[in-house]
């Protein structure tokens, strides 16, 4: 069990590209970390073992983020292992692209279940359980502002995340808990590369004034800022995108 002075973080989607970088970054800051996964237990365990091998503390927890009972059990497991929760980082999400006119509604529903209901369920648990001085960090996308074609269905889920975040920050008045969203630009993760050819990837990278894709560590650095020293940043959407307009 973590000591009373140790801060504790739960990272949903913690075995994925951005999630894994966030786990590593928070562990480097001294957090005890719970690595959440939905389907890949081996990969989540590998991430946790990397933290332990580096001298940190980590466990894995599982569950569908959209299932309130599963996520309550996951939060219970973190509290049982470490004594409480100070930071929740909600990186779990899926992305399917396509024009609105022909978009498959089953894919639309799947995205909304994970990205909207899942974020709501996790945020609800965080609102109930985060200790004073805690932080909830949700994840959106810079496409809510860039508004490129084929992102309509995906952006509809992330715009909901942003709206939820801004209201929850105000509902938690007096709790000393911050609620913010990070909105990454194009980041080199498996989720980003899915269904994109080399020409599309190069074009998106070229839209960024820094002329490169972001790395998961770039986003993790922003998350660490919100999870730790950024106590005066609350109810905000931070665009971590290298200047993408």
């Amino acid at each position: 069990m973590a000591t009373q002075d140790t801060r504790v973080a739960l990272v949903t989607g913690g075995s994925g590209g951005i999630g894994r970088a966030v786990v590593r970054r928070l562990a480097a800051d001294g957090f005890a970390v719970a690595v959440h996964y939905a389907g890949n237990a081996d990969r989540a365990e590998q991430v946790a073992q990397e933290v332990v091998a580096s001298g940190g503390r980590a466990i894995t927890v599982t569950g569908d983020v959209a299932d309130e009972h599963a996520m309550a059990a996951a939060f219970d497991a973190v509290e049982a292992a470490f004594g409480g929760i100070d930071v929740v980082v909600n990186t779990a999400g899926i992305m399917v692209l396509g024009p609105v006119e022909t978009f498959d509604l089953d894919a639309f529903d799947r995205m909304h279940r994970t990205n909207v209901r899942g974020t709501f369920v996790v945020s609800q648990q965080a609102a109930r359980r985060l200790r004073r001085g805690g932080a909830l960090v949700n994840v959106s996308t810079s496409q809510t502002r860039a508004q490129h074609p084929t992102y309509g269905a995906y952006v509809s889920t992330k715009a909901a995340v942003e709206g939820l975040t801004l209201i929850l920050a105000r509902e938690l008045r007096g709790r000393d808990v911050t609620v913010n969203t990070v909105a990454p630009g194009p980041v080199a993760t498996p989720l980003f590369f899915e269904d994109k050819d080399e020409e599309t990837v190069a074009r998106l990278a070229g839209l960024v004034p820094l002329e490169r894709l972001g790395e998961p560590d770039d986003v993790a650095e922003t998350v660490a800022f919100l999870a730790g020293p950024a106590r005066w940043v609350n109810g905000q959407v931070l665009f971590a995108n290298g200047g993408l307009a």
Side-chain angles (χ1 to χ4, degrees):
M1 178 176 288
T3 66
Q4 191 170 10
D5 294 333
T6 301
R7 300 191 79 206
V8 177
L10 166 61
V11 181
T12 71
S15 64
I18 290 175
R20 186 172 194 156
V22 169
V23 168
R24 289 170 171 167
R25 182 64 173 79
L26 294 181
D29 283 350
F31 280 81
V33 185
V35 183
H36 163 269
Y37 68 95
N40 196 323
D42 290 342
R43 189 166 61 187
E45 187 60 35
Q46 181 184 27
V47 176
Q49 288 304 314
E50 289 174 0
V51 171
V52 173
S54 298
R57 285 153 291 184
I59 62 169
T60 62
V61 295
T62 190
D64 175 1
V65 289
D67 183 330
E68 65 272 31
H69 303 295
M71 292 317 297
F75 274 74
D76 286 345
V78 180
E79 290 176 338
F82 296 132
I85 305 177
D86 301 286
V87 171
V88 173
V89 184
N90 199 21
T91 76
I94 60 176
M95 178 172 65
V96 182
L97 303 182
V100 172
E101 183 179 8
T102 57
F103 200 85
D104 180 73
L105 291 179
D106 287 337
F108 182 83
D109 289 342
R110 288 197 304 274
M111 273 201 298
H112 271 263
R113 175 175 171 78
T114 297
N115 297 358
V116 180
R117 181 185 170 93
T119 298
F120 192 95
V121 167
V122 172
S123 296
Q124 185 176 67
Q125 287 295 324
R128 294 171 178 173
R129 305 204 195 206
L130 283 171
R131 296 187 286 205
R132 293 189 68 84
L136 168 62
V137 183
N138 288 322
V139 176
S140 180
T141 172
S142 287
Q143 286 295 338
T144 58
R145 185 167 66 180
Q147 300 165 351
H148 293 144
T150 75
Y151 281 86
Y154 179 62
V155 162
S156 75
T157 70
K158 293 304 188 177
V161 169
E162 292 182 10
L164 167 64
T165 297
L166 302 185
I167 291 173
L168 181 56
R170 288 148 181 86
E171 288 184 350
L172 296 184
R173 173 185 290 272
R175 291 272 301 277
D176 192 23
V177 169
T178 62
V179 186
N180 293 288
T181 287
V182 174
V187 178
T189 65
L191 182 65
F192 171 79
F193 288 119
E194 189 173 320
D195 297 327
K196 293 185 178 71
D197 57 28
E198 291 184 10
E199 181 180 352
T200 300
V201 170
R203 178 178 58 80
L204 290 171
L207 294 174
V208 178
L210 294 180
E211 296 187 330
R212 67 171 177 86
L213 296 177
E215 295 294 335
D217 287 344
D218 294 321
V219 181
E221 189 72 22
T222 306
V223 171
F225 172 65
L226 294 173
R231 299 307 303 164
W232 196 235
V233 180
N234 188 30
Q236 303 298 319
V237 179
L238 270 65
F239 289 86
N241 61 20
L244 178 72

